[in-house]
Amino acid sequence: QVQLVESGGGSVEAGGSLTLSCELSGSTFFARCMGWFRQTPGTEREGVASICHSGRITYIPAVKGRFTISQDNAKNTVYLQMNSLKPEDTAMYYCATSSSAGGSNMHFGGYPYNTWGQGTQVTVSS
């Protein structure tokens, strides 16, 4: 069974930086891509960035140039470096991948995600 554990969230002022980490454990056979999503109360979860074993990286326009996704395969960990943070980046951030035991799929960057971490809160004050 796949488990995802996020860390690194917190509160920063606008213009600040945070780095989120997500450690993947368990059966990683189906985990060809890893993604970061975010959600605020009352809104739908949205994809933010993803990285795949193929080398494909995807960002939404709102974060391109400010956020950087990377992975350390030896540590089964994916990172999201977030710079020049804005108040509109405030959200719960979730790490995601695909597994055989996951639920319904949410697609981002051409890949289905169905397995989620517990989330880590990012709050950016103006």
Side-chain angles (χ1 to χ4, degrees), residues 74-105:
K75 296 182 179 180
N76 277 341
T77 300
V78 63
Y79 305 95
L80 186 67
Q81 173 70 42
M82 305 184 295
N83 298 325
S84 302
L85 282 162
K86 303 176 181 181
E88 51 264 42
D89 294 318
T90 295
M92 184 72 79
Y93 283 72
Y94 298 91
C95 178
T97 189
S98 181
S99 74
S100 60
S104 57
N105 291 328

PDB file of all heavy atoms in Angstrom, residues 74-105:
ATOM      1  N   ALA A  74      16.473   8.264  -4.749  1.00  0.00           N
ATOM      2  CA  ALA A  74      17.089   7.451  -3.707  1.00  0.00           C
ATOM      3  C   ALA A  74      16.325   7.545  -2.393  1.00  0.00           C
ATOM      4  O   ALA A  74      16.306   6.607  -1.602  1.00  0.00           O
ATOM      5  CB  ALA A  74      18.539   7.872  -3.507  1.00  0.00           C
ATOM      6  N   LYS A  75      15.695   8.685  -2.177  1.00  0.00           N
ATOM      7  CA  LYS A  75      14.934   8.907  -0.938  1.00  0.00           C
ATOM      8  C   LYS A  75      13.434   8.773  -1.151  1.00  0.00           C
ATOM      9  O   LYS A  75      12.662   8.970  -0.208  1.00  0.00           O
ATOM     10  CB  LYS A  75      15.240  10.304  -0.379  1.00  0.00           C
ATOM     11  CG  LYS A  75      16.681  10.499   0.052  1.00  0.00           C
ATOM     12  CD  LYS A  75      16.886  11.894   0.628  1.00  0.00           C
ATOM     13  CE  LYS A  75      18.316  12.099   1.085  1.00  0.00           C
ATOM     14  NZ  LYS A  75      18.540  13.461   1.641  1.00  0.00           N
ATOM     15  N   ASN A  76      13.022   8.459  -2.388  1.00  0.00           N
ATOM     16  CA  ASN A  76      11.586   8.379  -2.701  1.00  0.00           C
ATOM     17  C   ASN A  76      10.863   9.641  -2.235  1.00  0.00           C
ATOM     18  O   ASN A  76       9.779   9.565  -1.620  1.00  0.00           O
ATOM     19  CB  ASN A  76      10.950   7.144  -2.057  1.00  0.00           C
ATOM     20  CG  ASN A  76      11.157   5.897  -2.887  1.00  0.00           C
ATOM     21  OD1 ASN A  76      11.463   5.962  -4.084  1.00  0.00           O
ATOM     22  ND2 ASN A  76      10.996   4.754  -2.261  1.00  0.00           N
ATOM     23  N   THR A  77      11.451  10.774  -2.490  1.00  0.00           N
ATOM     24  CA  THR A  77      10.918  12.040  -2.002  1.00  0.00           C
ATOM     25  C   THR A  77      10.803  13.032  -3.148  1.00  0.00           C
ATOM     26  O   THR A  77      11.698  13.117  -3.992  1.00  0.00           O
ATOM     27  CB  THR A  77      11.817  12.614  -0.890  1.00  0.00           C
ATOM     28  OG1 THR A  77      11.871  11.682   0.195  1.00  0.00           O
ATOM     29  CG2 THR A  77      11.257  13.942  -0.386  1.00  0.00           C
ATOM     30  N   VAL A  78       9.708  13.749  -3.172  1.00  0.00           N
ATOM     31  CA  VAL A  78       9.513  14.821  -4.137  1.00  0.00           C
ATOM     32  C   VAL A  78       9.405  16.133  -3.366  1.00  0.00           C
ATOM     33  O   VAL A  78       8.862  16.167  -2.257  1.00  0.00           O
ATOM     34  CB  VAL A  78       8.275  14.573  -5.014  1.00  0.00           C
ATOM     35  CG1 VAL A  78       6.998  14.565  -4.194  1.00  0.00           C
ATOM     36  CG2 VAL A  78       8.168  15.602  -6.125  1.00  0.00           C
ATOM     37  N   TYR A  79       9.936  17.187  -3.947  1.00  0.00           N
ATOM     38  CA  TYR A  79       9.973  18.492  -3.297  1.00  0.00           C
ATOM     39  C   TYR A  79       9.239  19.529  -4.139  1.00  0.00           C
ATOM     40  O   TYR A  79       9.157  19.411  -5.362  1.00  0.00           O
ATOM     41  CB  TYR A  79      11.424  18.947  -3.107  1.00  0.00           C
ATOM     42  CG  TYR A  79      12.281  17.960  -2.359  1.00  0.00           C
ATOM     43  CD1 TYR A  79      13.067  17.041  -3.045  1.00  0.00           C
ATOM     44  CD2 TYR A  79      12.308  17.949  -0.973  1.00  0.00           C
ATOM     45  CE1 TYR A  79      13.867  16.123  -2.361  1.00  0.00           C
ATOM     46  CE2 TYR A  79      13.101  17.039  -0.276  1.00  0.00           C
ATOM     47  CZ  TYR A  79      13.873  16.130  -0.979  1.00  0.00           C
ATOM     48  OH  TYR A  79      14.651  15.228  -0.291  1.00  0.00           O
ATOM     49  N   LEU A  80       8.748  20.542  -3.471  1.00  0.00           N
ATOM     50  CA  LEU A  80       8.198  21.701  -4.159  1.00  0.00           C
ATOM     51  C   LEU A  80       8.808  22.941  -3.515  1.00  0.00           C
ATOM     52  O   LEU A  80       8.437  23.325  -2.403  1.00  0.00           O
ATOM     53  CB  LEU A  80       6.668  21.744  -4.063  1.00  0.00           C
ATOM     54  CG  LEU A  80       6.013  22.850  -4.884  1.00  0.00           C
ATOM     55  CD1 LEU A  80       6.206  22.587  -6.394  1.00  0.00           C
ATOM     56  CD2 LEU A  80       4.519  22.968  -4.566  1.00  0.00           C
ATOM     57  N   GLN A  81       9.765  23.536  -4.215  1.00  0.00           N
ATOM     58  CA  GLN A  81      10.380  24.773  -3.767  1.00  0.00           C
ATOM     59  C   GLN A  81       9.503  25.925  -4.224  1.00  0.00           C
ATOM     60  O   GLN A  81       9.263  26.080  -5.427  1.00  0.00           O
ATOM     61  CB  GLN A  81      11.789  24.916  -4.355  1.00  0.00           C
ATOM     62  CG  GLN A  81      12.446  26.264  -4.084  1.00  0.00           C
ATOM     63  CD  GLN A  81      12.818  26.459  -2.622  1.00  0.00           C
ATOM     64  OE1 GLN A  81      13.321  25.539  -1.989  1.00  0.00           O
ATOM     65  NE2 GLN A  81      12.550  27.647  -2.099  1.00  0.00           N
ATOM     66  N   MET A  82       9.024  26.707  -3.278  1.00  0.00           N
ATOM     67  CA  MET A  82       8.097  27.794  -3.584  1.00  0.00           C
ATOM     68  C   MET A  82       8.746  29.122  -3.215  1.00  0.00           C
ATOM     69  O   MET A  82       9.026  29.366  -2.027  1.00  0.00           O
ATOM     70  CB  MET A  82       6.784  27.607  -2.821  1.00  0.00           C
ATOM     71  CG  MET A  82       6.125  26.255  -3.064  1.00  0.00           C
ATOM     72  SD  MET A  82       4.518  26.094  -2.259  1.00  0.00           S
ATOM     73  CE  MET A  82       5.000  26.182  -0.544  1.00  0.00           C
ATOM     74  N   ASN A  83       9.000  29.941  -4.217  1.00  0.00           N
ATOM     75  CA  ASN A  83       9.602  31.253  -4.013  1.00  0.00           C
ATOM     76  C   ASN A  83       8.615  32.353  -4.389  1.00  0.00           C
ATOM     77  O   ASN A  83       7.610  32.096  -5.065  1.00  0.00           O
ATOM     78  CB  ASN A  83      10.866  31.392  -4.870  1.00  0.00           C
ATOM     79  CG  ASN A  83      11.937  30.391  -4.502  1.00  0.00           C
ATOM     80  OD1 ASN A  83      12.098  30.029  -3.337  1.00  0.00           O
ATOM     81  ND2 ASN A  83      12.691  29.944  -5.494  1.00  0.00           N
ATOM     82  N   SER A  84       8.915  33.561  -3.961  1.00  0.00           N
ATOM     83  CA  SER A  84       8.070  34.722  -4.280  1.00  0.00           C
ATOM     84  C   SER A  84       6.605  34.419  -3.995  1.00  0.00           C
ATOM     85  O   SER A  84       5.727  34.690  -4.833  1.00  0.00           O
ATOM     86  CB  SER A  84       8.249  35.119  -5.751  1.00  0.00           C
ATOM     87  OG  SER A  84       9.596  35.413  -6.033  1.00  0.00           O
ATOM     88  N   LEU A  85       6.351  33.896  -2.841  1.00  0.00           N
ATOM     89  CA  LEU A  85       4.994  33.477  -2.496  1.00  0.00           C
ATOM     90  C   LEU A  85       4.053  34.662  -2.422  1.00  0.00           C
ATOM     91  O   LEU A  85       4.434  35.776  -2.019  1.00  0.00           O
ATOM     92  CB  LEU A  85       5.002  32.716  -1.173  1.00  0.00           C
ATOM     93  CG  LEU A  85       5.475  31.259  -1.284  1.00  0.00           C
ATOM     94  CD1 LEU A  85       5.874  30.712   0.082  1.00  0.00           C
ATOM     95  CD2 LEU A  85       4.400  30.397  -1.915  1.00  0.00           C
ATOM     96  N   LYS A  86       2.822  34.408  -2.827  1.00  0.00           N
ATOM     97  CA  LYS A  86       1.771  35.429  -2.851  1.00  0.00           C
ATOM     98  C   LYS A  86       0.626  34.983  -1.949  1.00  0.00           C
ATOM     99  O   LYS A  86       0.440  33.779  -1.721  1.00  0.00           O
ATOM    100  CB  LYS A  86       1.249  35.601  -4.276  1.00  0.00           C
ATOM    101  CG  LYS A  86       2.310  35.962  -5.302  1.00  0.00           C
ATOM    102  CD  LYS A  86       1.710  36.003  -6.701  1.00  0.00           C
ATOM    103  CE  LYS A  86       2.766  36.342  -7.743  1.00  0.00           C
ATOM    104  NZ  LYS A  86       2.185  36.399  -9.118  1.00  0.00           N
ATOM    105  N   PRO A  87      -0.159  35.926  -1.449  1.00  0.00           N
ATOM    106  CA  PRO A  87      -1.309  35.531  -0.610  1.00  0.00           C
ATOM    107  C   PRO A  87      -2.226  34.524  -1.307  1.00  0.00           C
ATOM    108  O   PRO A  87      -2.798  33.648  -0.636  1.00  0.00           O
ATOM    109  CB  PRO A  87      -2.020  36.858  -0.361  1.00  0.00           C
ATOM    110  CG  PRO A  87      -0.917  37.868  -0.410  1.00  0.00           C
ATOM    111  CD  PRO A  87       0.007  37.381  -1.486  1.00  0.00           C
ATOM    112  N   GLU A  88      -2.337  34.616  -2.628  1.00  0.00           N
ATOM    113  CA  GLU A  88      -3.215  33.678  -3.345  1.00  0.00           C
ATOM    114  C   GLU A  88      -2.643  32.266  -3.413  1.00  0.00           C
ATOM    115  O   GLU A  88      -3.320  31.351  -3.878  1.00  0.00           O
ATOM    116  CB  GLU A  88      -3.515  34.192  -4.763  1.00  0.00           C
ATOM    117  CG  GLU A  88      -2.305  34.595  -5.584  1.00  0.00           C
ATOM    118  CD  GLU A  88      -2.036  36.096  -5.512  1.00  0.00           C
ATOM    119  OE1 GLU A  88      -2.135  36.687  -4.407  1.00  0.00           O
ATOM    120  OE2 GLU A  88      -1.713  36.666  -6.569  1.00  0.00           O
ATOM    121  N   ASP A  89      -1.414  32.079  -2.952  1.00  0.00           N
ATOM    122  CA  ASP A  89      -0.860  30.731  -2.853  1.00  0.00           C
ATOM    123  C   ASP A  89      -1.301  30.027  -1.570  1.00  0.00           C
ATOM    124  O   ASP A  89      -1.028  28.840  -1.384  1.00  0.00           O
ATOM    125  CB  ASP A  89       0.674  30.771  -2.878  1.00  0.00           C
ATOM    126  CG  ASP A  89       1.225  31.257  -4.201  1.00  0.00           C
ATOM    127  OD1 ASP A  89       0.701  30.853  -5.252  1.00  0.00           O
ATOM    128  OD2 ASP A  89       2.191  32.050  -4.182  1.00  0.00           O
ATOM    129  N   THR A  90      -1.965  30.772  -0.696  1.00  0.00           N
ATOM    130  CA  THR A  90      -2.450  30.177   0.546  1.00  0.00           C
ATOM    131  C   THR A  90      -3.416  29.039   0.256  1.00  0.00           C
ATOM    132  O   THR A  90      -4.397  29.216  -0.477  1.00  0.00           O
ATOM    133  CB  THR A  90      -3.147  31.243   1.406  1.00  0.00           C
ATOM    134  OG1 THR A  90      -2.182  32.217   1.809  1.00  0.00           O
ATOM    135  CG2 THR A  90      -3.778  30.611   2.646  1.00  0.00           C
ATOM    136  N   ALA A  91      -3.138  27.870   0.796  1.00  0.00           N
ATOM    137  CA  ALA A  91      -3.967  26.686   0.544  1.00  0.00           C
ATOM    138  C   ALA A  91      -3.416  25.508   1.338  1.00  0.00           C
ATOM    139  O   ALA A  91      -2.314  25.572   1.885  1.00  0.00           O
ATOM    140  CB  ALA A  91      -3.968  26.338  -0.941  1.00  0.00           C
ATOM    141  N   MET A  92      -4.188  24.439   1.362  1.00  0.00           N
ATOM    142  CA  MET A  92      -3.677  23.151   1.811  1.00  0.00           C
ATOM    143  C   MET A  92      -3.041  22.495   0.594  1.00  0.00           C
ATOM    144  O   MET A  92      -3.677  22.401  -0.459  1.00  0.00           O
ATOM    145  CB  MET A  92      -4.803  22.291   2.356  1.00  0.00           C
ATOM    146  CG  MET A  92      -4.342  20.964   2.942  1.00  0.00           C
ATOM    147  SD  MET A  92      -3.477  21.173   4.509  1.00  0.00           S
ATOM    148  CE  MET A  92      -4.872  21.408   5.599  1.00  0.00           C
ATOM    149  N   TYR A  93      -1.800  22.075   0.745  1.00  0.00           N
ATOM    150  CA  TYR A  93      -1.076  21.454  -0.349  1.00  0.00           C
ATOM    151  C   TYR A  93      -0.999  19.952  -0.132  1.00  0.00           C
ATOM    152  O   TYR A  93      -0.651  19.481   0.964  1.00  0.00           O
ATOM    153  CB  TYR A  93       0.324  22.051  -0.453  1.00  0.00           C
ATOM    154  CG  TYR A  93       0.339  23.410  -1.106  1.00  0.00           C
ATOM    155  CD1 TYR A  93      -0.164  24.534  -0.443  1.00  0.00           C
ATOM    156  CD2 TYR A  93       0.818  23.577  -2.404  1.00  0.00           C
ATOM    157  CE1 TYR A  93      -0.185  25.780  -1.052  1.00  0.00           C
ATOM    158  CE2 TYR A  93       0.816  24.831  -3.015  1.00  0.00           C
ATOM    159  CZ  TYR A  93       0.313  25.915  -2.339  1.00  0.00           C
ATOM    160  OH  TYR A  93       0.298  27.150  -2.950  1.00  0.00           O
ATOM    161  N   TYR A  94      -1.321  19.219  -1.186  1.00  0.00           N
ATOM    162  CA  TYR A  94      -1.343  17.768  -1.138  1.00  0.00           C
ATOM    163  C   TYR A  94      -0.364  17.192  -2.152  1.00  0.00           C
ATOM    164  O   TYR A  94      -0.277  17.656  -3.288  1.00  0.00           O
ATOM    165  CB  TYR A  94      -2.737  17.236  -1.459  1.00  0.00           C
ATOM    166  CG  TYR A  94      -3.815  17.656  -0.503  1.00  0.00           C
ATOM    167  CD1 TYR A  94      -4.547  18.812  -0.727  1.00  0.00           C
ATOM    168  CD2 TYR A  94      -4.108  16.891   0.623  1.00  0.00           C
ATOM    169  CE1 TYR A  94      -5.541  19.202   0.152  1.00  0.00           C
ATOM    170  CE2 TYR A  94      -5.105  17.270   1.504  1.00  0.00           C
ATOM    171  CZ  TYR A  94      -5.822  18.428   1.263  1.00  0.00           C
ATOM    172  OH  TYR A  94      -6.809  18.805   2.142  1.00  0.00           O
ATOM    173  N   CYS A  95       0.301  16.144  -1.728  1.00  0.00           N
ATOM    174  CA  CYS A  95       1.133  15.355  -2.616  1.00  0.00           C
ATOM    175  C   CYS A  95       0.280  14.200  -3.140  1.00  0.00           C
ATOM    176  O   CYS A  95      -0.592  13.689  -2.413  1.00  0.00           O
ATOM    177  CB  CYS A  95       2.326  14.833  -1.817  1.00  0.00           C
ATOM    178  SG  CYS A  95       3.442  13.784  -2.726  1.00  0.00           S
ATOM    179  N   ALA A  96       0.532  13.796  -4.365  1.00  0.00           N
ATOM    180  CA  ALA A  96      -0.297  12.737  -4.942  1.00  0.00           C
ATOM    181  C   ALA A  96       0.496  11.893  -5.928  1.00  0.00           C
ATOM    182  O   ALA A  96       1.480  12.340  -6.523  1.00  0.00           O
ATOM    183  CB  ALA A  96      -1.509  13.334  -5.639  1.00  0.00           C
ATOM    184  N   THR A  97      -0.009  10.664  -6.116  1.00  0.00           N
ATOM    185  CA  THR A  97       0.534   9.782  -7.128  1.00  0.00           C
ATOM    186  C   THR A  97      -0.560   8.786  -7.515  1.00  0.00           C
ATOM    187  O   THR A  97      -1.730   8.986  -7.184  1.00  0.00           O
ATOM    188  CB  THR A  97       1.794   9.059  -6.624  1.00  0.00           C
ATOM    189  OG1 THR A  97       2.412   8.377  -7.722  1.00  0.00           O
ATOM    190  CG2 THR A  97       1.474   8.044  -5.534  1.00  0.00           C
ATOM    191  N   SER A  98      -0.188   7.747  -8.220  1.00  0.00           N
ATOM    192  CA  SER A  98      -1.150   6.742  -8.621  1.00  0.00           C
ATOM    193  C   SER A  98      -0.766   5.405  -8.009  1.00  0.00           C
ATOM    194  O   SER A  98       0.422   5.077  -7.924  1.00  0.00           O
ATOM    195  CB  SER A  98      -1.175   6.623 -10.145  1.00  0.00           C
ATOM    196  OG  SER A  98      -2.121   5.662 -10.556  1.00  0.00           O
ATOM    197  N   SER A  99      -1.749   4.647  -7.562  1.00  0.00           N
ATOM    198  CA  SER A  99      -1.498   3.313  -7.028  1.00  0.00           C
ATOM    199  C   SER A  99      -2.672   2.416  -7.384  1.00  0.00           C
ATOM    200  O   SER A  99      -3.763   2.888  -7.702  1.00  0.00           O
ATOM    201  CB  SER A  99      -1.298   3.370  -5.509  1.00  0.00           C
ATOM    202  OG  SER A  99      -2.524   3.571  -4.841  1.00  0.00           O
ATOM    203  N   SER A 100      -2.442   1.107  -7.277  1.00  0.00           N
ATOM    204  CA  SER A 100      -3.481   0.152  -7.640  1.00  0.00           C
ATOM    205  C   SER A 100      -4.642   0.167  -6.654  1.00  0.00           C
ATOM    206  O   SER A 100      -5.750  -0.237  -6.990  1.00  0.00           O
ATOM    207  CB  SER A 100      -2.888  -1.264  -7.707  1.00  0.00           C
ATOM    208  OG  SER A 100      -2.353  -1.624  -6.444  1.00  0.00           O
ATOM    209  N   ALA A 101      -4.414   0.643  -5.436  1.00  0.00           N
ATOM    210  CA  ALA A 101      -5.460   0.636  -4.404  1.00  0.00           C
ATOM    211  C   ALA A 101      -6.089   1.999  -4.227  1.00  0.00           C
ATOM    212  O   ALA A 101      -6.842   2.216  -3.277  1.00  0.00           O
ATOM    213  CB  ALA A 101      -4.878   0.153  -3.082  1.00  0.00           C
ATOM    214  N   GLY A 102      -5.783   2.949  -5.096  1.00  0.00           N
ATOM    215  CA  GLY A 102      -6.316   4.300  -4.947  1.00  0.00           C
ATOM    216  C   GLY A 102      -7.782   4.407  -5.326  1.00  0.00           C
ATOM    217  O   GLY A 102      -8.396   3.448  -5.800  1.00  0.00           O
ATOM    218  N   GLY A 103      -8.346   5.594  -5.109  1.00  0.00           N
ATOM    219  CA  GLY A 103      -9.746   5.829  -5.419  1.00  0.00           C
ATOM    220  C   GLY A 103      -9.934   6.363  -6.822  1.00  0.00           C
ATOM    221  O   GLY A 103      -9.224   5.984  -7.742  1.00  0.00           O
ATOM    222  N   SER A 104     -10.901   7.282  -6.956  1.00  0.00           N
ATOM    223  CA  SER A 104     -11.177   7.840  -8.277  1.00  0.00           C
ATOM    224  C   SER A 104     -10.025   8.741  -8.703  1.00  0.00           C
ATOM    225  O   SER A 104      -9.308   9.296  -7.875  1.00  0.00           O
ATOM    226  CB  SER A 104     -12.485   8.628  -8.266  1.00  0.00           C
ATOM    227  OG  SER A 104     -12.447   9.646  -7.284  1.00  0.00           O
ATOM    228  N   ASN A 105      -9.874   8.871 -10.009  1.00  0.00           N
ATOM    229  CA  ASN A 105      -8.740   9.599 -10.559  1.00  0.00           C
ATOM    230  C   ASN A 105      -9.016  11.083 -10.719  1.00  0.00           C
ATOM    231  O   ASN A 105     -10.131  11.496 -11.043  1.00  0.00           O
ATOM    232  CB  ASN A 105      -8.368   9.032 -11.925  1.00  0.00           C
ATOM    233  CG  ASN A 105      -7.780   7.640 -11.827  1.00  0.00           C
ATOM    234  OD1 ASN A 105      -7.116   7.305 -10.852  1.00  0.00           O
ATOM    235  ND2 ASN A 105      -8.027   6.831 -12.839  1.00  0.00           N
TER     236      ASN A 105
END
